[in-house]
Coordinates of all heavy atoms in Angstrom, one line a residue:
P20 N -4.4 -22.6 17.9 CA -5.2 -23.3 16.9 C -4.5 -23.8 15.7 O -5.1 -24.6 14.9 CB -6.3 -22.2 16.6 CG -6.3 -21.3 17.8 CD -4.8 -21.3 18.2
I31 N 5.7 -15.3 11.5 CA 6.2 -14.3 10.6 C 6.5 -13.0 11.3 O 5.7 -12.6 12.2 CB 5.1 -14.0 9.5 CG1 5.7 -13.0 8.5 CG2 3.8 -13.5 10.1 CD1 4.8 -12.8 7.3
Y42 N 7.0 -15.8 3.1 CA 6.1 -16.2 2.0 C 6.9 -16.8 0.8 O 6.3 -17.7 0.1 CB 5.3 -15.0 1.5 CG 4.2 -14.6 2.5 CD1 4.3 -13.5 3.3 CD2 3.1 -15.4 2.7 CE1 3.4 -13.2 4.2 CE2 2.1 -15.1 3.6 CZ 2.3 -14.0 4.4 OH 1.3 -13.7 5.3
A46 N 5.8 -20.6 -0.3 CA 5.6 -21.1 -1.7 C 6.4 -22.3 -2.1 O 6.0 -23.2 -2.7 CB 5.9 -19.9 -2.7
H53 N 3.9 -29.7 0.9 CA 3.6 -29.6 2.3 C 2.6 -28.5 2.5 O 2.5 -27.5 1.8 CB 4.9 -29.2 3.0 CG 6.0 -30.2 2.8 ND1 6.0 -31.5 3.4 CD2 7.2 -30.1 2.2 CE1 7.1 -32.1 3.0 NE2 7.8 -31.3 2.3
G68 N 6.3 -19.3 21.2 CA 5.7 -20.4 20.5 C 6.6 -21.4 20.0 O 6.3 -22.6 20.1
F77 N 10.9 -20.2 12.2 CA 10.9 -18.7 12.1 C 12.1 -18.4 11.3 O 13.3 -18.7 11.6 CB 10.9 -18.1 13.5 CG 11.1 -16.6 13.5 CD1 10.3 -15.8 12.7 CD2 12.0 -16.0 14.4 CE1 10.4 -14.4 12.8 CE2 12.1 -14.6 14.5 CZ 11.3 -13.8 13.7
P83 N 23.8 -11.7 15.8 CA 23.8 -12.0 17.2 C 23.4 -11.0 18.2 O 23.4 -11.2 19.4 CB 25.3 -12.3 17.4 CG 26.0 -11.3 16.5 CD 25.1 -11.2 15.3
S88 N 18.3 -11.0 23.2 CA 17.6 -11.2 24.5 C 16.6 -12.4 24.4 O 16.4 -13.1 25.3 CB 16.8 -9.9 24.9 OG 15.9 -9.5 23.9
L111 N 20.4 3.5 13.9 CA 19.6 4.7 13.6 C 20.0 5.3 12.4 O 21.2 5.4 12.1 CB 19.7 5.6 14.8 CG 19.2 5.1 16.2 CD1 19.3 6.2 17.2 CD2 17.7 4.6 16.1
G129 N 18.1 18.0 19.8 CA 16.7 17.7 20.2 C 15.7 18.6 19.5 O 14.7 18.1 19.0
E130 N 16.0 19.9 19.4 CA 15.1 20.8 18.8 C 15.0 20.5 17.3 O 13.9 20.6 16.7 CB 15.6 22.2 19.0 CG 14.6 23.3 18.4 CD 15.1 24.7 18.8 OE1 16.0 24.9 19.6 OE2 14.5 25.6 18.2
F132 N 15.3 17.6 15.7 CA 14.5 16.4 15.4 C 13.2 16.2 16.2 O 12.6 15.2 16.2 CB 15.4 15.2 15.6 CG 16.6 15.1 14.7 CD1 17.9 15.4 15.1 CD2 16.4 14.6 13.4 CE1 18.9 15.3 14.2 CE2 17.4 14.5 12.5 CZ 18.7 14.9 12.9
G133 N 12.9 17.3 17.0 CA 11.7 17.2 17.8 C 11.7 16.2 18.9 O 10.7 15.7 19.4
R135 N 12.4 13.1 18.8 CA 11.7 11.9 18.5 C 12.5 11.0 17.6 O 13.2 11.4 16.8 CB 10.4 12.2 17.7 CG 9.3 12.8 18.5 CD 8.0 12.9 17.7 NE 6.9 13.4 18.4 CZ 5.6 13.4 18.0 NH1 5.3 13.0 16.8 NH2 4.6 13.9 18.8
M146 N 13.8 -2.1 18.8 CA 13.3 -1.1 19.7 C 13.9 -1.2 21.1 O 14.2 -0.2 21.8 CB 11.7 -1.3 19.8 CG 11.0 -1.0 18.5 SD 11.0 0.7 18.1 CE 9.6 1.3 19.0
A169 N 5.4 -0.4 8.2 CA 4.8 0.4 7.1 C 4.6 1.9 7.5 O 4.8 2.8 6.8 CB 3.5 -0.2 6.7
T177 N 7.3 10.8 3.9 CA 6.7 12.1 4.0 C 7.7 13.2 4.4 O 7.7 14.3 3.8 CB 5.5 12.1 5.0 OG1 4.5 11.1 4.5 CG2 4.8 13.5 5.1
E183 N 12.5 17.5 5.7 CA 12.5 17.7 7.1 C 13.4 16.7 7.8 O 13.6 15.6 7.3 CB 11.0 17.4 7.6 CG 10.0 18.4 7.1 CD 8.6 18.1 7.5 OE1 8.4 16.9 8.0 OE2 7.7 18.9 7.3
H193 N 16.4 -3.4 3.6 CA 15.1 -2.8 3.7 C 14.8 -1.9 2.5 O 15.8 -1.2 2.0 CB 15.0 -2.0 5.0 CG 13.6 -1.6 5.3 ND1 12.9 -0.6 4.6 CD2 12.8 -2.0 6.3 CE1 11.7 -0.5 5.1 NE2 11.6 -1.3 6.2
Q208 N 29.4 3.8 20.8 CA 29.4 2.9 22.0 C 29.0 1.4 21.5 O 29.0 0.5 22.4 CB 28.3 3.4 23.0 CG 28.7 4.7 23.6 CD 28.0 5.0 24.9 OE1 27.9 4.0 25.7 NE2 27.6 6.2 25.2
Y259 N 1.9 -10.0 -0.5 CA 3.1 -10.8 -0.2 C 3.1 -12.2 -0.8 O 4.1 -12.6 -1.3 CB 3.3 -10.9 1.3 CG 3.2 -9.5 2.0 CD1 2.3 -9.3 3.0 CD2 4.1 -8.5 1.6 CE1 2.2 -8.0 3.6 CE2 4.1 -7.3 2.3 CZ 3.1 -7.0 3.3 OH 3.1 -5.8 3.9
A261 N 1.3 -13.4 -3.5 CA 1.4 -13.3 -5.0 C 2.8 -12.9 -5.4 O 3.4 -13.5 -6.4 CB 0.4 -12.4 -5.5
D291 N 8.3 -35.8 -4.5 CA 8.2 -37.2 -4.1 C 9.1 -37.5 -3.0 O 8.7 -38.1 -2.0 CB 8.5 -38.1 -5.3 CG 7.4 -38.0 -6.4 OD1 6.3 -37.6 -6.1 OD2 7.7 -38.3 -7.6

Side-chain angles (χ1 to χ4, degrees):
I31 185 171
Y42 286 106
H53 305 290
F77 176 47
S88 60
L111 297 182
E130 185 174 347
F132 293 103
R135 287 189 175 189
M146 295 292 276
T177 300
E183 296 173 348
H193 193 288
Q208 296 201 40
Y259 308 122
D291 293 338

